[in-house]
Amino acid sequence: MINKFVKVKYLFTLNMGQSPDSESCNTLGNGIPFFQGKTDFGHISPTPKTYCISPKKIADTGDILLSVRAPVGDMNIADTECAIGRGLCALKADKLNPKYAWYMLHSVIDELKSYATGSTYDAVSTDDIKNIRCVVPASDIQCRVVKHLDKKIIAIDELISSKNELVRLLKEKQISLISQSVTRGLHPEALMRNCGIEWLGKIPAHWQVLTNHQLFAERNIKCTDPDAVLLSVTKHLGVILQSQAEELNLATVAPAETTEGYKVVHKGGLVMNIMRAKDGSYGISGYDGVISPAYCIYYPRQEVNPQYLYYLFKAPMYMEIFKNYSTGIAEHRMRLYPVNFFKIPAVVPPLEEQNEIVMYLDKRVKDIDELISLTQQQIEKLKEYRQSIISEVVTGKVAVE
């Protein structure tokens, strides 16, 4: 079998994404689906959450959507016309069997990833993509490769799908466990009462309902040290070191040249990204350090276990309330300002029960996290195996009949 090596630019039409004006984006289904990056990617095609009425760049049905910003290399196939942002590039196969094109690009992803550079997050350029060399056999062999790989890959895909479903169920169980514990307690025999707040419903009769203003005070102390420990707030990990966020590709801002003027954070403080509070971007700090001046820092006014309040605010009902109490002229500009945060009621058990709930949840959440992590590692191994099979067949290392 004689193969040609051809650069991507001669095989595909490339369409690098461009973010539309924020005012044209919505979650109401108006316009066409909009994908900024790989966040909404599925196993084969993405699931839209955001729509756009005035897109700047459009991918057609059947185009391969390639993630060009961290993480570089993930791919999906557009199953409908969609708008694409700066995190994606759409590739339209001009001279290839479309399914072969999909497999062929998978075989060069590791090479593409090696070109990724960036100070804040890894990214690849249009030229990086265009100049990748791909194996291009005759059209009849392309069809044979597709037929062979379809048979091989379907079994692996089914395994990956089942493990992804397990991860989904574990996360669902974890959320349910947290919600039940922080609103109903750990003692099913406890007498319940209607708390008078519709979205909270019944709570143990001896628990209090206090406003966040009764529970917290805002702190706004500015740092004078130009080289203080910089922190970062993430949706899933809470408050972590900025250096950790960069290692995990979770950093959303470039490293600061100086930390002067940043807000001082002490251990036990609730640190909140007010722009993303509705998405769960807050946490209890385990560090002394500093955070962006745009964030808010709250400290307990009374004796409470901060970790209990963190679990409480991670319950889905509170995520929704944080969203409802956020204000702004457009959805992407919605912020949970202190004046509104302070209005939100919190369910507060006696301190002894708070500590009991935290000990219980710390263990149960950790156990579920470990199961999720183990399953995700298995998924990654299956993906690596899948990738190796595709590469060996596409590059001709394994013959196809």
Side-chain angles (χ1 to χ4, degrees):
M1 174 171 83
I2 299 176
N3 294 325
K4 295 185 294 182
F5 287 87
V6 184
K7 290 184 176 181
V8 165
K9 63 183 176 181
Y10 300 119
L11 300 170
F12 297 87
T13 299
L14 273 69
N15 181 17
M16 194 66 85
Q18 183 178 352
S19 298
D21 296 333
S22 54
E23 290 76 10
S24 71
C25 298
N26 65 91
T27 57
L28 303 175
N30 297 327
I32 63 175
F34 168 57
F35 305 112
Q36 180 69 267
K38 67 142 287 181
T39 304
D40 298 324
F41 275 14
H43 186 52
I44 298 295
S45 296
T47 300
K49 296 176 184 172
T50 306
Y51 295 80
C52 180
I53 57 175
S54 300
K56 291 189 176 179
K57 289 295 183 75
I58 294 176
D60 295 324
T61 303
D63 284 358
I64 296 172
L65 305 178
L66 171 67
S67 176
V68 295
R69 291 188 173 192
V72 171
D74 286 34
M75 288 190 290
N76 258 201
I77 297 174
D79 57 0
T80 186
E81 182 182 70
C82 58
I84 54 173
R86 290 177 295 177
L88 297 178
C89 176
L91 295 95
K92 189 186 305 294
D94 295 324
K95 302 174 182 178
L96 299 169
N97 177 310
K99 194 65 180 287
Y100 177 80
W102 169 253
Y103 285 132
M104 183 192 73
L105 286 176
H106 275 84
S107 74
V108 297
I109 285 304
D110 288 341
E111 181 183 351
L112 182 63
K113 287 180 179 178
S114 71
Y115 299 142
T117 59
S119 58
T120 304
Y121 44 76
D122 287 341
V124 291
S125 68
T126 306
D127 285 341
D128 291 331
I129 303 168
K130 284 182 176 180
N131 291 315
I132 293 282
R133 288 160 56 86
C134 300
V135 176
V136 184
S139 58
D140 63 319
I141 297 175
Q142 291 180 35
C143 292
R144 282 155 53 190
V145 166
V146 167
K147 185 178 179 181
H148 178 86
L149 283 174
D150 280 350
K151 289 180 181 177
K152 292 281 187 181
I153 298 303
I154 189 169
I156 301 173
D157 283 350
E158 286 175 354
L159 270 174
I160 291 173
S161 180
S162 67
K163 289 188 178 294
N164 277 325
E165 176 64 9
L166 175 58
V167 169
R168 186 190 69 78
L169 291 172
L170 286 169
K171 288 180 177 179
E172 193 176 89
K173 179 179 179 180
Q174 189 178 77
I175 290 170
S176 175
L177 186 71
I178 291 171
S179 297
Q180 179 71 19
S181 300
V182 297
T183 59
R184 301 293 184 269
L186 303 180
H187 306 287
E189 73 281 2
L191 182 67
M192 306 295 285
R193 69 177 174 89
N194 194 317
C195 70
I197 300 171
E198 184 178 351
W199 55 271
L200 276 175
K202 290 186 176 182
I203 63 171
H206 61 291
W207 288 19
Q208 292 180 288
V209 176
L210 303 175
T211 65
N212 281 338
H213 189 265
Q214 292 173 289
L215 285 170
F216 292 101
E218 184 184 7
R219 294 273 181 87
N220 194 14
I221 302 171
K222 296 298 178 66
C223 177
T224 56
D225 182 350
D227 194 29
V229 176
L230 187 58
L231 305 177
S232 182
V233 181
T234 68
K235 177 178 178 179
H236 298 295
L237 299 178
V239 181
I240 61 175
L241 298 171
Q242 173 72 11
S243 57
Q244 290 177 307
E246 291 167 8
E247 289 174 6
L248 297 169
N249 286 322
L250 296 175
T252 55
V253 294
E257 293 182 6
T258 177
T259 55
E260 285 188 80
Y262 274 53
K263 290 185 178 180
V264 175
V265 178
H266 294 299
K267 292 178 183 177
L270 172 64
V271 186
M272 181 175 290
N273 179 342
I274 66 171
M275 294 174 287
R276 296 181 179 175
K278 59 184 173 57
D279 300 319
S281 190
Y282 40 82
I284 303 298
S285 181
Y287 306 94
D288 291 329
V290 297
I291 200 73
S292 165
Y295 292 7
C296 283
I297 306 164
Y298 302 102
Y299 289 92
R301 289 180 183 270
Q302 51 187 276
E303 193 176 14
V304 293
N305 187 323
Q307 190 65 19
Y308 164 79
L309 294 171
Y310 171 71
Y311 280 130
L312 178 68
F313 294 155
K314 281 294 183 177
M317 64 179 69
Y318 272 92
M319 301 273 281
E320 186 66 24
I321 288 300
F322 280 11
K323 180 178 179 180
N324 292 343
Y325 274 73
S326 296
T327 57
I329 60 173
E331 186 169 348
H332 73 286
R333 293 180 180 174
M334 300 286 278
R335 289 166 168 80
L336 182 57
Y337 292 105
V339 65
N340 288 330
F341 172 73
F342 285 143
K343 294 176 183 177
I344 297 171
V347 183
V348 185
L351 182 59
E352 185 178 344
E353 275 191 72
Q354 293 178 39
N355 296 336
E356 183 184 16
I357 290 168
V358 167
M359 286 182 62
Y360 172 77
L361 286 178
D362 280 351
K363 183 180 187 309
R364 294 297 304 276
V365 167
K366 181 183 177 183
D367 289 344
I368 295 173
D369 279 342
E370 288 176 352
L371 278 174
I372 290 172
S373 178
L374 177 61
T375 307
Q376 288 174 331
Q377 289 172 30
Q378 293 170 346
I379 291 170
E380 288 308 308
K381 290 292 184 184
L382 285 168
K383 287 181 176 179
E384 289 172 10
Y385 177 54
R386 183 181 188 273
Q387 179 74 15
S388 68
I389 289 176
I390 292 172
S391 295
E392 288 176 351
V393 173
V394 168
T395 57
K397 293 178 182 177
V398 173
V400 296
E401 298 179 357

